[in-house]
Structures are given as structure tokens and as C-alpha cells.
Amino acid sequence: MATNEDLFKKIISHSKEYGFVFPSSEIYDGLSAVYDYGPFGVELKNNIKAWWWKSMVQYHENIVGLDSAIFMHPTIWKASGHVDAFNDPMIDNKDSKKRYRADVLVEDHLQKIEDKIQKEVDKARTRFGETFDEQMYRTTNPRVKEYQDKIDALKTRFYASLEKNDLADVKALIEEAGIVCPVSGTKNWTEVRQFNLMFSTQMGSVNEDANEIFLRPETAQGVFVNFLNVQKSARMKIPFGIAQIGKAFRNEIVARQFLFRMREFEQMEMQYFVKPGEELEWFAYWKQERMRWHTSLGIPASKYRFHDHDKLAHYANAATDIEFEFPIGFKELEGIHSRTDFDLSAHQKFSGRKIQYFDTELNEGYVPYVVETSIGLDRTFLAVVSYAYREEKLEDGSERVVLSLPAILAPVKVAILPLIKKDGLPEKAREIMDVLKYRFRCFYEEKDTIGRRYRRMDAIGTPYCITIDHQTLQDNTVTLRDRDTMLQERIPVNEILAILNEKLSL
Ligand code: GAP
């Protein structure tokens, strides 16, 4: 069994070898934290987008879509708070020359203490058996209490220092907590500095006249500034949502975790506009609804968990993450935020335009509150591939790598494989391909032994292979091979479409 780090490396190299993900600009030695999606990667990515879009826009009558531009008026980012507050505190280790986010260093340290508590709790559960009262144990066991007090004190001080922008105290706290650089093992830290994550560029033809504009760090603002356009043109009544999928850009300080932390990535966001005062009920609703979406893909619930935020972003009155157990540990996959009326009110103020919803039932206008669900497309891709990647030993002693992707997401749904390249088998296979390709993404291949072709299809996650052999020419049947069980059944050619339709629906 590979260690998680090995597994992560294997997933990265498998993604490249089988045409899922390539490092950007590779022939020029790459560009840090930027990636290109290959022929099978782009299919998987499009399928994730389509599934999300369907679940949001098609299955909810009160959610509509939008595709707003990446370039936006620069004042938008002043109003949203991103110019002043979209910063990460960074710190360098002088010995390893590695740069870290100070908050991540502290949170990892806190997690280590949490892990120690969990170990004590697990030991006690084994010792006491069924009579074990975890709550009681956590509040009374002296060692556990000591750990918990340590966590609480660190958290209180850390968040207060961040709030006050007291970066000297953040550094002092890192030193006092004994946090060392994971690479050099030393505490030889630089000062902590704030670093704005937005990329900027110039718009305009002459340098002096050009305006500095930003590449959007989230898609959400495009929704907020179009609130009235959408509400009026689509005749939406509160509560309603606006969904959008699009690129976002962040100049991440630490970006060395493959698709997990990229500088150019895609978000799938939905902003849900509600009556003020009802936002926390909707927040609870979307928390559950989004968790249901994740588990609907067939990935076990134990791979996901909620992480409620202690420190809220400048716009939120409640926030939680849905974390996924990546090979690098449980990490944020999706954020659900109750953003209050912060954004719409700020745009109202900065633009000088009234942004209100007139509620005909109440006979009054108000600035709606917003509950947002925001998921990274690339992180979802990584989650799905990490879960699907399996190395299997087969009964005959050989090995295979298989991507057990949910069928609805698989880049190729069916491979059409003539057993050999003669005797009229390719012609028959082409006939079948020509029917199926209008319904499913198919892949035709006649080179190599059938065993090798099956392995290649397993490696890109193709759920079904159809093999055309000599018997096909006699009785018009083919074999249908299942990727996960590797079982084969013989089915009539004229039933292929109906059988696949049934098997490939969620
Ligand atoms: N509009 C809210 C917002 O942008 P966020 O928690 O900063 O919230 C939402 O980002 C999601 O975007 C994250 O849960 C993550 O999946 C994805 N994401 C954020 N930064 C990313 C990065 N550098 N690389 C890949 N995905 C990222």
C-alpha cells in the first residue's frame, strides 16, 4: 500500500501519462501552479461542470445562470473589500528559503494538537468500551483538557492578532508555539508580511491612460453587480439563485499541491438571494444540500466532513467548508458562506445606484441577503480522481491501474474494440460506433492486443468496453465488459443503446 505522498505523486504522473493534466508551458520548464487539461481531462472537467450545472440550474426552478466577464470595473474590487483585505499573511524560513502562509502554519500546528486529543479519546474508548462518555472524558481528563486549553488560547490570540493586523504578534506566537519549518526544521523566521492575492494588469492602449484592472479572484462579484439585470430580465422572485462557472485567479503564496492550489483555476458558484433574517435557515439548507450533491456521486460520506469557520471572512456571518479527504489529508473542497447584504450594499454605496428588491408581499423594498455555495472545479476534479485511482492485483498475478470514476463523469463512456484488425470486424465495429457516438462519448481502437486495450480503457476510467469478434458476424451479438468487475456478458447489437442508457444514467 502506497503512502499518501506516494499516492499523490502517482496520481500526478498518471494524470500526465493518460492525457488528463499537463503542467503548463512544460517545454519552457513549466509555470508554477498553472496546469493544462488534456484530451481526457477536459472531458472529465466538462462532465463535472455539466453535473453541477444540471443540479443547480436544471433541477431548481428558481436558480438561473450567468456568464459574466473576467475583466470588471476596478472599483468593484474596492467595494468588495478585496483591494484592502484579500491578503494572506506570509512568512519565510531563512534557512530553507521556503515561504509559508502564517495562518496555515498555525492551523497545521493546532491540528497536530487536535490529533493528540483524538488519540487519547480513541485509547479511552477502547479501554472503557460501551460505557465510554466522550463528552465527559473531553471535559474532565487532565491531559485532554490541557491540550484543549492550549488550542483555545492559541486560537484566541491568533485570530485577535490577525484582526488587529498585529503581524509582530503573529510572528511571536509562531516562535513561542515552537512551530518549525517542515523543510529545515528551524525556527529562523522572517517578519510576517501581508500579501495581496489579486493579479493586476493594464487596460487601455496608451500606458499613461491605462487603468489598472484586476483578474477576478472569485466569480461572485460578477453575479452581485448583475443582480438587478438578472432579477428583472428573468422575473425572479426571492428566494432565488444565480449560478456561474468561470475562471478565477489568485497569486497564491504557497502553490505546490498540484490542482489543489492553483494560480489560475475555475469556480462553480451559486449566490442565493434571500429575505434579511432568513439567511441562517438557508445557510443550513444549502449545507445539507451541497453535502447531498457530493455523496450523490457515489463517493462514501466518510470521505467528506464539515469544518465550521472560527474566523469569518470580512463579508460573512456564518461559514463552513466541506472538506474532502485528499491524499494530502482532509482539505477544503467547497465553501458555504452566509455573506449578509455586505456585497450588494457595498456596490450600492460605491456605484451610487440603488440595488434593492421590491417585495410585493411585504410591499416594501430591501437589500437581499446572500447565501453562497462556492466549489473549486479543479479541486473537485482532484477529489474525484484521487478517490477513483486504484492499483489492483489480479487473479492471474498481473496488475492493473483503474480509475473507478462515477460513470456520469467518465471522460469516455464506451470503447468500441474489434478483436482483430481484419475479417470484417473493424467494419462491423465502425457500424456500431456510428450509432453510439451520437449518444455517448465513444472511443474506437483497433491497435494492440485486446488485453492491452482493456488496460488503457481502465486507466482512463471508461466504464464499458464493447468487443466485436467473429461470433458478432454470425449472431449479431457483442461482449460488454464492465470496468470495475471485469465481467463480460454477451448482448445483442440492437440492444446496446438501451442497455448502456440504463447503465450510464445516475
Ligand atoms: N466566492 C467565495 C470564494 O471564492 P473561497 O473559499 O475563497 O470562496 C471557493 O473559494 C472555492 O474555490 C474553494 O473551496 C476551493 O475549492 C476553490 N479555490 C480557492 N482557491 C483555489 C486555488 N488557489 N486553487 C484551486 N481552487 C481554489
Side-chain angles (χ1 to χ4, degrees):
M1 179 71 185
T3 64
N4 284 346
E5 202 155 304
D6 285 345
L7 176 65
F8 199 46
K9 284 189 188 143
K10 283 181 180 180
I11 289 167
I12 297 170
S13 75
H14 186 88
S15 298
K16 178 162 180 240
E17 186 180 348
Y18 287 95
F20 282 85
V21 182
F22 309 129
S24 158
S25 323
E26 201 186 6
I27 59 170
Y28 290 95
D29 296 333
L31 185 66
S32 171
V34 186
Y35 291 91
D36 299 334
Y37 286 83
F40 301 113
V42 67
E43 297 281 355
L44 172 53
K45 205 174 162 193
N46 284 340
N47 292 340
I48 296 172
K49 283 195 226 183
W51 176 229
W52 183 87
W53 192 263
K54 244 188 195 171
S55 326
M56 283 294 179
V57 179
Q58 189 174 323
Y59 301 164
H60 291 92
E61 290 169 33
N62 66 344
I63 299 181
V64 288
L66 179 75
D67 183 10
S68 66
I70 288 172
F71 290 151
M72 289 195 273
H73 195 287
T75 309
I76 288 175
W77 303 109
K78 190 78 194 146
S80 68
H82 285 81
V83 169
D84 297 319
F86 196 54
N87 302 320
D88 275 342
M90 68 177 185
I91 188 167
D92 292 17
N93 183 269
K94 292 182 194 162
D95 299 318
S96 66
K97 309 271 184 280
K98 292 276 178 210
R99 178 161 288 172
Y100 299 94
R101 273 175 55 179
D103 54 332
V104 172
L105 279 182
V106 173
E107 270 157 20
D108 284 352
H109 179 73
L110 291 171
Q111 186 59 48
K112 278 186 196 143
I113 311 177
E114 296 269 8
D115 292 346
K116 285 185 188 164
I117 295 182
Q118 194 56 47
K119 244 190 196 153
E120 296 291 334
V121 170
D122 292 345
K123 266 198 309 201
R125 179 173 288 114
T126 320
R127 205 166 54 239
F128 295 116
E130 278 190 359
T131 57
F132 182 57
D133 180 342
E134 181 173 334
Q135 189 57 28
M136 169 83 90
Y137 182 78
R138 279 179 180 270
T139 45
T140 53
N141 179 278
R143 189 173 307 159
V144 169
K145 256 179 69 52
E146 194 187 314
Y147 287 144
Q148 193 56 52
D149 290 347
K150 212 173 182 177
I151 291 175
D152 294 343
L154 265 173
K155 272 190 180 169
T156 310
R157 179 172 160 196
F158 180 58
Y159 294 134
S161 304
L162 279 185
E163 204 66 50
K164 288 184 288 182
N165 206 21
D166 183 353
L167 300 181
D169 192 54
V170 173
K171 183 186 179 193
L173 182 148
I174 288 175
E175 285 171 342
E176 286 165 35
I179 297 175
V180 297
C181 164
V183 176
S184 67
T186 71
K187 285 194 275 179
N188 196 5
W189 297 111
T190 61
E191 298 306 310
V192 178
R193 281 171 297 155
Q194 288 290 14
F195 179 77
N196 191 287
L197 300 183
M198 282 197 294
F199 284 102
S200 69
T201 187
Q202 305 290 317
M203 183 175 263
S205 53
V206 186
N207 242 356
E208 298 90 78
D209 297 343
N211 264 327
E212 185 189 31
I213 57 165
F214 299 101
L215 298 190
R216 66 182 180 197
E218 60 170 7
T219 58
Q221 298 304 324
V223 166
F224 296 133
V225 298
N226 275 297
F227 169 75
L228 285 178
N229 284 339
V230 175
Q231 188 264 320
K232 291 196 167 135
S233 61
R235 301 162 65 87
M236 304 307 289
K237 277 207 157 73
I238 273 180
F240 75 91
I242 304 179
Q244 173 163 224
I245 300 177
K247 289 263 181 172
F249 304 83
R250 294 183 190 179
N251 198 2
E252 296 284 359
I253 298 171
V254 183
R256 41 173 176 259
Q257 289 163 318
F258 190 42
L259 303 181
F260 184 79
R261 203 174 295 288
M262 299 157 82
R263 295 201 163 106
E264 174 181 340
F265 57 99
E266 243 171 303
Q267 290 184 317
M268 306 189 285
E269 295 200 305
M270 193 279 297
Q271 281 72 32
Y272 202 70
F273 298 90
V274 304
K275 210 186 269 179
E278 292 185 355
E279 72 277 7
L280 293 179
E281 268 167 62
W282 284 112
F283 174 75
Y285 169 84
W286 281 108
K287 245 177 106 166
Q288 298 313 321
E289 195 62 16
R290 292 304 301 147
M291 189 58 104
R292 258 163 31 105
W293 182 83
H294 287 282
T295 50
S296 74
L297 292 171
I299 299 177
S302 60
K303 300 292 276 182
Y304 298 94
R305 69 180 187 198
F306 286 115
H307 172 228
D308 294 330
H309 287 207
D310 291 316
K311 177 180 181 280
L312 294 171
H314 58 274
Y315 49 70
N317 72 355
T320 195
D321 293 337
I322 293 182
E323 294 186 336
F324 179 78
E325 192 177 13
F326 292 96
I328 48 175
F330 266 104
K331 304 257 179 211
E332 176 186 345
L333 172 58
E334 171 158 11
I336 299 157
H337 314 119
S338 171
R339 288 182 82 129
T340 67
D341 61 348
F342 175 86
D343 303 270
L344 291 183
S345 293
H347 290 307
Q348 190 165 247
K349 185 168 141 218
F350 278 74
S351 68
R353 307 277 178 91
K354 197 167 162 188
I355 308 180
Q356 290 215 342
Y357 170 80
F358 189 79
D359 192 321
T360 46
E361 275 166 33
L362 297 178
N363 203 26
E364 65 178 38
Y366 54 78
V367 179
Y369 271 45
V370 174
V371 174
E372 143 187 281
T373 72
S374 175
I375 179 169
L377 174 54
D378 314 84
R379 280 194 197 174
T380 310
F381 184 106
L382 181 60
V384 165
V385 170
S386 313
Y387 178 70
Y389 182 93
R390 314 247 149 93
E391 291 171 2
E392 289 181 355
K393 257 209 151 44
L394 305 180
E395 277 174 11
D396 64 2
S398 65
E399 285 177 13
R400 72 164 183 164
V401 173
V402 56
L403 282 190
S404 282
L405 293 167
I408 191 172
L409 301 183
V412 172
K413 308 294 187 217
V414 199
I416 316 281
L417 313 171
L419 186 63
I420 53 170
K421 224 163 110 182
K422 54 182 186 186
D423 300 341
L425 300 187
E427 290 75 11
K428 182 70 187 169
R430 282 272 172 216
E431 257 177 45
I432 296 173
M433 173 86 182
D434 283 344
V435 173
L436 294 187
K437 75 180 182 192
Y438 293 104
R439 176 71 187 85
F440 307 110
R441 173 71 167 87
C442 300
F443 193 87
Y444 178 88
E445 185 155 48
E446 56 186 27
K447 271 189 275 157
D448 272 339
T449 64
I450 193 72
R452 281 221 182 127
R453 281 181 274 163
Y454 284 155
R455 290 291 165 275
R456 265 205 298 278
M457 287 301 115
D458 289 344
I460 64 163
T462 305
Y464 296 102
C465 290
I466 287 176
T467 308
I468 293 88
D469 54 18
H470 292 94
Q471 191 182 329
T472 310
L473 302 181
Q474 289 161 11
D475 64 4
N476 212 29
T477 62
V478 292
T479 60
L480 182 70
R481 173 187 180 270
D482 180 296
R483 173 196 66 201
D484 297 332
T485 61
M486 291 187 290
L487 293 176
Q488 301 187 15
E489 55 177 321
R490 227 157 165 111
I491 59 168
V493 169
N494 58 11
E495 285 177 26
I496 298 176
L497 202 56
I499 291 173
L500 286 178
N501 260 334
E502 167 79 26
K503 286 186 184 287
L504 290 168
S505 66
L506 195 70

